[in-house]
Amino acid sequence: MYKENAWTEKDLKDRFTVFLSLTCVLFLSLICAAVESVRVQGARAQAANITGMGNFSLFGEFENGLLEEYDIFSLDGSYGEGSFQIAKVNEHLQEYVSYNADPRKEVFSPWCFDPWHLELKDSEVSRYALLTDNKGEPFYQQAVAYMKANTAVNAVDKLLEYTKDTEKIQNWQKKYEDNQKSNDTKIEVLEDEKQKKIQSIESEAEENGTTVTIPEEPKNNPLKEIAKLRKKSTLSIVTWDKDVSEKKINTRNLPSGNRNRKGNLEIEKKYGGLVSDVLFREYLMMHFPNYIDQTSGETLDYQLEYILGGKATDQKNLKYVVNRLLLIREGMNYLYCLQDRELNSQAEGLAVTLTGFIGIPALTAATKHALLLGWAYGESLIDVRILLDGGKVPVLKGKSDWSLTIDNLGRITEILEEGAKDRGKGLTYQEYLRVLLNMGSVSSQKMRALDMVQAEMRAEQESSEFKAENCIVAIETNTIWNCKPVFLGLPGAVMGTSGGNTEILQKGSIAY
């Protein structure tokens, strides 16, 4: 007997409906899981954006006075209190990050929608770089970057010209010093021989019953006048009755001598080499006053001289620079003396007058050399006085540039008292300072410049606790986020699982 099928049309429809429902649930679960995955990736991107905004907001608290006076960006890690507090920096970072993470903060619109559901668990500044790290390298990098952005190419080419003669100047400085010491020793020995020769001549004349007339020393013997000047302070000679600043500072707690704090983050060294060094030194010329400038500092007036000399008083720093300038001019003037035939002939004639009667050729030759050395010294004193008066002096002189005659060498003191006249061509005092900077160490110049920055900033009432070693110039940060699930309810119910929070670790960095 035929048995009727148990599956009715209604049963088939019901079962098909269940099948489609289950299939839809599965597809919806898959879609929700995919959407949740995309949302989490979006949350990661949002965490990166928020961390970046937090870092940027934190570095927006830069030290305004430092930027206005020195065109340098930095974040005061002490927040004006003098004591470095990385915990306080972390607090500020967390405040900015938390604020940007909550789109509903201070917003009362009911339509505000947050698809990310990010919750900040923790944030910290993991590493930081300070302005004084690596002997002021971050300071150097910012200064060079500023100069590159504000200096024309042709100006850089002109500045490079000041480095061309540096090696030649240094060589002739050394030759002058070495030859002076050598010649002084030689004359000292020959003077003993001279005295013995004179005694011998006098004894022989006495035995023969004759009279010997020793020529009188000429009035204003140039060698004796020069010897007197060498015993005096060069600064007092070239400034005479001019006022010299008596300001002084305490160097004990300045960055160049006291770096207790170091950062733990290496910054990128974008700039270095000859051109960058020249630009850095030009930055120093632009931002720090010197002896010739009409401006004065709160702490020291001759700040560029301090960067060169590193002394505690304006007077000592100016003395250091004046002595360096004198040495430069001595070397270059000595070179001219050796090369000019007329000067050599005049020096030889005077040397014969002074020593020829005794008949010791070596003494005459040494005396001639001493006259050339002394002549270069006297001319150099005049040069330095011209520079301090705001005049110009060429690095390598010609006949028309030479001012001191052999006849006037014996009255050099009077000439200096009268004051020297500007020859109107060559380099100014400031341009000679550029030469001295190019001859010096960039490392020491970076730190001494920071000394002046700190001293000047602390002289201002609003920055009285400022310390260069507290200045943050770059940071690396870590933020940890909880990302709450949004679309995992349905997949969780279908698969019998519960969707937990996703933890996101976001690293960030920023530098001035």
Side-chain angles (χ1 to χ4, degrees):
M1 182 177 177
Y2 176 77
K3 186 178 180 180
E4 188 178 354
N5 192 341
W7 296 94
T8 65
E9 183 178 348
K10 183 177 181 303
D11 291 335
L12 288 172
K13 288 181 178 180
D14 290 343
R15 282 167 170 71
F16 188 67
T17 300
V18 172
F19 173 76
L20 286 178
S21 298
L22 291 173
T23 304
C24 287
V25 168
L26 289 173
F27 273 110
L28 285 173
S29 298
L30 179 63
I31 291 170
C32 286
V35 170
E36 180 68 13
S37 177
V38 172
R39 189 191 70 84
V40 170
Q41 293 307 313
R44 292 183 188 277
Q46 181 69 356
N49 291 336
I50 294 172
T51 301
M53 286 189 289
N55 291 343
F56 192 83
S57 299
L58 180 67
F59 265 35
E61 299 179 326
F62 56 82
E63 180 66 45
N64 194 52
L66 188 63
L67 178 63
E68 288 183 352
E69 294 297 324
Y70 299 101
D71 298 297
I72 297 296
F73 283 98
S74 80
L75 171 68
D76 184 2
S78 72
Y79 287 91
E81 297 179 6
S83 177
F84 187 78
Q85 304 176 62
I86 195 62
K88 195 163 188 177
V89 179
N90 284 328
E91 286 177 13
H92 281 239
L93 173 66
Q94 188 161 13
E95 180 181 349
Y96 287 125
V97 173
S98 299
Y99 190 95
N100 290 318
D102 185 1
R104 297 185 181 87
K105 193 175 185 69
E106 299 183 7
V107 177
F108 301 100
S109 171
W111 304 106
C112 183
F113 173 62
D114 177 19
W116 313 118
H117 286 249
L118 285 170
E119 179 184 24
L120 180 66
K121 286 181 63 178
D122 191 21
S123 66
E124 65 167 351
V125 175
S126 57
R127 296 200 295 171
Y128 55 86
L130 303 175
L131 197 63
T132 53
D133 285 348
N134 297 323
K135 298 182 179 179
E137 185 63 26
F139 171 63
Y140 172 90
Q141 293 293 323
Q142 281 203 51
V144 175
Y146 170 81
M147 294 303 297
K148 277 187 174 287
N150 293 276
T151 306
V153 175
N154 58 348
V156 175
D157 292 338
K158 185 177 180 181
L159 293 172
L160 285 170
E161 293 178 6
Y162 292 101
T163 66
K164 292 180 179 178
D165 294 327
T166 300
E167 186 176 351
K168 185 176 183 180
I169 289 172
Q170 289 175 315
N171 288 338
W172 278 100
Q173 280 184 191
K174 190 172 187 311
K175 284 183 181 179
Y176 182 86
E177 289 181 301
D178 293 344
N179 287 355
Q180 183 187 349
K181 291 177 183 178
S182 173
N183 204 63
D184 286 348
T185 302
K186 192 181 295 183
I187 285 181
E188 188 176 342
V189 173
L190 291 170
E191 277 293 330
D192 291 338
E193 187 177 338
K194 171 187 171 182
Q195 294 303 321
K196 292 177 182 177
K197 188 74 177 286
I198 290 175
Q199 290 174 3
S200 174
I201 292 172
E202 289 176 339
S203 298
E204 186 177 342
E206 187 177 346
E207 290 176 3
N208 295 332
T210 57
T211 303
V212 176
T213 302
I214 305 294
E216 292 186 5
E217 186 178 283
K219 188 179 181 181
N220 294 332
N221 184 336
L223 293 178
K224 289 197 173 181
E225 289 299 314
I226 293 296
K228 290 178 185 177
L229 279 178
R230 289 190 186 277
K231 293 179 181 178
K232 295 181 179 179
S233 165
T234 302
L235 181 61
S236 63
I237 293 173
V238 296
T239 54
W240 289 103
D241 57 349
K242 287 185 178 180
D243 291 332
V244 176
S245 168
E246 296 183 356
K247 289 183 178 180
K248 61 181 180 179
I249 57 172
N250 183 356
T251 59
R252 185 176 56 186
N253 295 318
L254 294 178
S256 63
N258 180 31
R259 295 191 300 278
N260 294 324
R261 184 168 293 102
K262 294 181 181 179
N264 53 8
L265 175 63
E266 286 287 333
I267 65 165
E268 181 184 359
K269 296 181 181 179
K270 294 182 180 179
Y271 306 111
L274 178 61
V275 174
S276 294
D277 288 350
V278 167
L279 288 174
F280 175 71
R281 284 155 174 158
E282 190 61 19
Y283 169 88
L284 300 180
M285 294 290 299
M286 289 175 57
H287 289 81
F288 298 92
N290 59 67
Y291 174 79
I292 295 294
D293 287 341
Q294 297 300 316
T295 57
S296 59
E298 295 293 330
T299 51
L300 293 179
D301 288 346
Y302 313 150
Q303 295 181 17
L304 207 53
E305 286 81 355
Y306 172 83
I307 293 172
L308 287 164
K311 312 299 181 184
T313 68
D314 272 334
Q315 191 174 59
K316 288 182 179 179
N317 287 313
L318 184 59
K319 180 180 179 181
Y320 172 85
V321 169
V322 161
N323 288 334
R324 292 290 306 279
L325 291 177
L326 181 67
L327 194 53
I328 286 178
R329 294 308 318 146
E330 284 174 330
M332 301 314 293
N333 287 337
Y334 177 58
L335 170 61
Y336 177 76
C337 286
L338 292 179
Q339 293 177 341
D340 189 273
R341 291 184 180 180
E342 186 177 346
L343 265 62
N344 270 267
S345 177
Q346 292 175 6
E348 186 173 4
L350 183 54
V352 170
T353 301
L354 292 172
T355 64
F357 71 94
I358 206 67
I360 304 177
L363 179 60
T364 302
T367 301
K368 173 194 170 183
H369 202 176
L371 285 168
L372 291 175
L373 289 162
W375 206 344
Y377 171 73
E379 181 79 5
S380 300
L381 288 174
I382 295 174
D383 291 344
V384 176
R385 176 143 197 207
I386 288 173
L387 292 173
L388 293 182
D389 283 341
K392 298 178 179 179
V393 175
V395 174
L396 187 59
K397 291 185 176 181
K399 185 178 287 291
S400 62
D401 303 314
W402 197 264
S403 60
L404 189 59
T405 66
I406 193 73
D407 296 329
N408 286 336
L409 187 56
R411 49 183 295 272
I412 180 64
T413 303
E414 297 174 30
I415 293 173
L416 287 167
E417 287 177 354
E418 293 168 1
K421 295 181 179 179
D422 176 19
R423 284 181 284 273
K425 65 178 182 178
L427 303 185
T428 62
Y429 175 79
Q430 289 94 332
E431 289 171 318
Y432 271 98
L433 289 182
R434 281 194 182 94
V435 175
L436 288 176
L437 285 170
N438 286 326
M439 293 168 64
S441 163
V442 174
S443 294
S444 64
Q445 290 165 11
K446 288 186 289 188
M447 294 310 298
R448 288 174 184 170
L450 284 173
D451 287 350
M452 284 291 92
V453 169
Q454 177 170 305
E456 288 293 300
M457 289 287 292
R458 289 174 72 92
E460 301 291 336
Q461 186 172 359
E462 60 271 19
S463 305
S464 59
E465 299 297 326
F466 177 88
K467 288 184 180 179
E469 68 174 16
N470 290 340
C471 292
I472 300 173
V473 295
I475 57 172
E476 284 185 358
T477 60
N478 292 328
T479 53
I480 301 175
W481 305 83
N482 267 338
C483 181
K484 298 178 181 179
V486 174
F487 299 104
L488 292 183
L490 180 58
V494 171
M495 293 181 288
T497 61
S498 58
N501 295 343
T502 301
E503 185 173 277
I504 299 173
L505 170 63
Q506 182 61 52
K507 294 182 178 292
S509 63
I510 190 172
Y512 286 120

